[in-house]
Amino acid sequence: MTPRVCLVTGASRGIGRAVADRLAAVGHHVALVARSRSAIEEAAADIRARQAGPTVLGVAADLTVPEDVERMFAEVERALGPVEVLVANAGAGSAASLVETTDEQWQHMIELNLTTPFRCVRRALPAMLEAGWGRIVVVASVVAKRGESQVSAYTASKHGVLGLVRAAAAEYARSGVTVNAVCPGYVDTPMTAETIDAISERRGIELAEARRALARRQPIGRLVDPAEVAEAVHFCVVNGAVNGQGINVDGGAVQS
């Protein structure tokens, strides 16, 4: 495939870092984005050291700040050119019963998991449409397709972002731009480690048992590897006939 300019948000660790590594491995130029400058520069340097050839750039930005979204795109465009592949991965989770979910928690989930991807997609589209080619992949979640207790705000935000993906895919289906979502289950990442900590504390069990309990919730009996999610993202990049989809990477928990 022709080397493309790729932008991956939330790329300092976990799924985002695995996605950036996968794209660089096949020769694409990759801009990694995260809030922490030191963390994103470390991640970019690590990929750069292992993947000879493509340009790997680290950009620090807080994507909940609209001005930072514009600055991020402008910095990538100056260094690499127009963004041809956008992977909107940045996000976070929040657990609380519905009646204990505060307005602030709700707003934070909507802002980070729905509004931020919307801003990134809106900013990336004009250059892709002008070129007649583009790939947008949003990392959502299996809870974009089902309800789950104790995470009402997170679930609502992920349902919303899957709706955004489907609407954008329908609107631009004839343009050469595809828009898809990847919907992971529980992935072996620092974010899941926080979930394991919460389970351990809530149930009064050891961390190892909490981890096993979470793994048992997936039919394959284990956590998903970040590289497995990255492979699904790469599939969306190389296959132009896949559009408007929410691709499950969850070991069979949600069957399409």
Side-chain angles (χ1 to χ4, degrees), residues 187-199 207 211 214 223:
V187 185
D188 194 1
T189 63
M191 181 174 163
T192 298
E194 294 170 5
T195 301
I196 292 170
D197 288 342
I199 292 172
L207 285 174
R211 182 183 176 91
L214 202 59
L223 301 180

Side-chain angles (χ1 to χ4, degrees), residues 204-219:
I205 59 178
E206 297 293 330
L207 285 174
E209 177 55 31
R211 182 183 176 91
R212 287 192 293 270
L214 202 59
R216 286 194 297 268
R217 295 177 66 176
Q218 302 189 128

